[in-house]
Amino acid sequence: MKKLTILLLIGLSTTATAFAQQTNPVTDAGSPVADLPLSASRAEILLPVLFISFLLVILTSLIKYFLDFRLKNKLIERGMQEQLTAYLSAKNEHEKQNEVVKLSILFLGLGLGLLLTYFTAPVDLHSLAIMAMSLGLSYLAYFLYLRKTDR
């Protein structure tokens, strides 16, 4: 978890450093950045940060799956007890199913949030509130799903 936090902080600071520009509307009146509305400048900062954090999450998930696969193979090669390997594999099957359901609910919420944002144009601060609300409701739906399946 600490490594993921460090990777996210490095990615966010790299993005912020790469896109950090200070423009003065008086001296840079003809520049394309000075002519953009405030929401466009927010998008220039927010979208690269979100994109890099999304890539880091995908990368860490792939590394986790790869390391879990290697661990299972080593347990099988060393001839560990069959009960232990059966327990680990059964637990992972249940976790994989929950992971798939979680991602599908989150992407459904993300899609609905983007659809609502599209219909409530212009894109501004309220669009971020809509996206946050839709993702929050997605996590709530996932929580309710987990509570229902644990019974």
Side-chain angles (χ1 to χ4, degrees):
M1 192 65 185
K2 290 181 183 180
K3 291 181 182 179
L4 176 64
T5 307
I6 291 170
L7 282 174
L8 283 174
L9 287 175
I10 290 171
L12 292 175
S13 64
T14 306
T15 305
T17 307
F19 289 98
Q21 296 177 3
Q22 184 174 2
T23 59
N24 188 353
V26 176
T27 59
D28 297 337
S31 71
V33 176
D35 295 336
L36 294 175
L38 184 59
S39 62
S41 64
R42 283 184 192 158
E44 286 178 355
I45 295 170
L46 187 64
L47 290 178
V49 169
L50 289 176
F51 181 72
I52 288 178
S53 60
F54 180 70
L55 286 178
L56 287 174
V57 167
I58 288 175
L59 181 67
T60 55
S61 298
L62 287 174
I63 290 171
K64 179 185 174 287
Y65 288 131
F66 177 71
L67 291 176
D68 285 344
F69 179 75
R70 283 183 52 194
L71 176 67
K72 286 180 190 176
N73 282 342
K74 285 188 179 187
L75 285 175
I76 291 170
E77 285 175 4
R78 295 197 181 185
M80 298 300 277
Q81 296 177 354
E82 290 183 26
Q83 294 173 347
L84 178 64
T85 55
Y87 171 73
L88 288 175
S89 63
K91 184 178 177 184
N92 282 339
E93 290 298 322
H94 183 67
E95 288 177 5
K96 286 180 184 178
Q97 181 183 2
N98 285 342
E99 185 73 22
V100 168
V101 170
K102 178 177 83 169
L103 288 175
S104 62
I105 290 174
L106 285 177
F107 282 129
L108 179 69
L110 183 67
L112 288 175
L114 288 172
L115 185 69
L116 285 172
T117 301
Y118 174 74
F119 286 126
T120 59
V123 176
D124 201 19
L125 189 58
H126 74 280
S127 301
L128 292 175
I130 291 172
M131 292 302 297
M133 184 65 132
S134 65
L135 288 176
L137 290 174
S138 297
Y139 275 114
L140 177 66
Y142 177 63
F143 170 74
L144 293 175
Y145 166 78
L146 285 181
R147 213 169 81 184
K148 184 179 179 182
T149 57
D150 286 344
R151 289 182 183 176

